[in-house]
Amino acid sequence: MNLEKIGLIDSRNRKLWEKLNETHSISVQLSDYPNYACYSENDESIIYVTENNIDINSFTHELLHVFIRQKEIFIGSSIGLLVNGNETLSKIFSKDLIEHFGNCLDHIKMLPIYLELGFDKKKFIIDYEVNKCSKSEVLAIKNGFKIRGTYYPEFVDYYIGKFIAIKSDPKQHINYPKSLKELKAIDSNLFNILEVLINEWVQMPIEKINIWDDDYHSISYKFYENLLNWTKSKTFR
C-alpha cells in the first residue's frame, strides 16, 4: 500500500513515519471501523484506517500513539496495574475508565507534537466540537457522588473520567472553568490529587535526560498512593 499516494503520508508526517519504522514494524489495514484505531504489542503495531475516510489527520494521531509507545512510556498501563491490585481502587477505576484515562494522558503529550508538525487542532479528535463535561453531567455527579456519607464508586469513576476528559480536550470549552470549579466543590481532595497528576505529567519530558529524572513510574505510583490515602476512612457502596 502506497501511503503517500492514497494521502496518509505527506511532508508533515513523513519523518515521524520513518522514525517510528526504525524501531517498530507498523502495518496499515483498511477496515470498516467507523474510527481509526491502533493495536500494539511489543514492537509491532497495526493502524486500522477507515476505508471510506482516508484522513491524514486521524492517521497521524494514531502514529503519535505509537510514538509515545516508542519512547517506552506506558503510564495508562502502569496506573491500571496499580489500581487493579487494590480492592477499593478497582471499584472506582473501571476497565473502561483505565482505557479512557490512559488514552487521554497520551493525548496531552501528543497534541503539542501534532501541532508542531503543522496539523490542525480542530482535526486532532473527531469529537472536537463536543462539550466533554456538560452541566447535566456535573449535576449527575453531584447528586450521586456521596449520599448520606457513603461514596458511590460508579460516580467517583464518572468524576475522574470527566476531569481527565476536560484536561485532555484540545478545545477548551467555554464552560470548562465552571465545570472544574463545580467538580472541585464536590470533592476538593480528589480534585487536587488529579490536578497534581496532570501537572507532573505535563512537566515530565518525553525524552529522559538522565536516569535520576522522575519518569512515568514515579508519577503513577505517587498518584496511586494519593488515591489510597483519599479512600481511607471512607465508606463505599
Side-chain angles (χ1 to χ4, degrees):
M1 186 186 302
N2 189 324
L3 300 182
E4 193 158 355
K5 187 174 182 179
I6 66 173
L8 291 175
I9 298 286
D10 68 11
S11 59
R12 294 171 294 173
N13 63 358
R14 186 180 298 111
K15 285 185 178 179
L16 173 63
W17 168 256
E18 292 172 351
K19 190 70 176 176
L20 292 175
N21 277 280
E22 290 178 5
T23 58
H24 274 67
S25 172
I26 305 175
S27 60
V28 179
Q29 292 187 17
L30 297 177
S31 76
D32 56 2
Y33 294 171
N35 301 321
Y36 280 53
C38 180
Y39 173 78
S40 296
E41 186 172 350
N42 299 321
D43 60 354
E44 295 185 0
S45 296
I46 303 171
I47 296 179
Y48 296 97
V49 171
T50 305
E51 191 168 7
N52 61 358
N53 180 28
I54 300 300
D55 180 22
I56 192 172
N57 304 283
S58 297
F59 182 70
T60 302
H61 178 111
E62 300 305 329
L63 287 181
L64 288 170
H65 275 297
V66 180
F67 174 77
I68 298 296
R69 185 178 184 84
Q70 185 191 52
K71 297 302 177 182
E72 299 184 338
I73 299 174
F74 308 103
I75 191 167
S77 298
S78 178
I79 291 172
L81 287 170
L82 289 168
V83 300
N84 281 335
N86 179 269
E87 184 178 356
T88 301
L89 294 183
S90 62
K91 290 180 181 178
I92 65 174
F93 254 89
S94 63
K95 182 179 178 181
D96 286 344
L97 176 59
I98 290 171
E99 183 177 349
H100 170 66
F101 203 81
N103 194 49
C104 287
L105 288 174
D106 273 7
H107 287 179
I108 290 171
K109 285 297 189 189
M110 288 160 51
L111 179 61
I113 305 169
Y114 179 89
L115 297 177
E116 189 177 335
L117 291 174
F119 288 93
D120 184 353
K121 181 170 69 171
K122 294 179 180 179
K123 297 179 180 179
F124 181 67
I125 53 176
I126 59 172
D127 58 349
Y128 178 83
E129 296 294 341
V130 176
N131 178 358
K132 308 304 187 298
C133 188
S134 67
K135 294 178 182 178
S136 62
E137 289 169 332
V138 173
L139 182 61
I141 294 169
K142 185 176 181 180
N143 290 337
F145 191 82
K146 183 171 71 169
I147 300 173
R148 292 187 291 276
T150 298
Y151 290 79
Y152 282 66
E154 62 269 34
F155 285 97
V156 179
D157 179 293
Y158 198 33
Y159 180 111
I160 295 170
K162 286 300 166 184
F163 179 94
I164 193 66
I166 291 174
K167 289 295 185 176
S168 63
D169 192 358
K171 180 181 182 180
Q172 287 301 297
H173 195 278
I174 190 172
N175 289 336
Y176 284 170
K178 184 177 181 181
S179 296
L180 288 169
K181 185 177 180 181
E182 291 175 343
L183 288 175
K184 188 170 185 177
I186 292 169
D187 194 300
S188 61
N189 289 330
L190 180 57
F191 185 95
N192 290 335
I193 288 168
L194 292 164
E195 191 88 295
V196 166
L197 168 71
I198 297 301
N199 290 339
E200 291 184 349
W201 174 242
V202 168
Q203 293 169 17
M204 189 200 86
I206 290 179
E207 302 288 349
K208 196 170 176 64
I209 298 172
N210 60 67
I211 61 172
W212 307 114
D213 288 337
D214 284 344
D215 62 6
Y216 76 90
H217 293 288
S218 60
I219 292 172
S220 60
Y221 192 75
K222 180 179 178 181
F223 178 57
Y224 164 74
E225 287 191 315
N226 287 338
L227 283 176
L228 274 183
N229 288 331
W230 178 80
T231 64
K232 288 179 180 177
S233 303
K234 288 182 172 63
T235 301
F236 292 87
R237 184 174 69 90

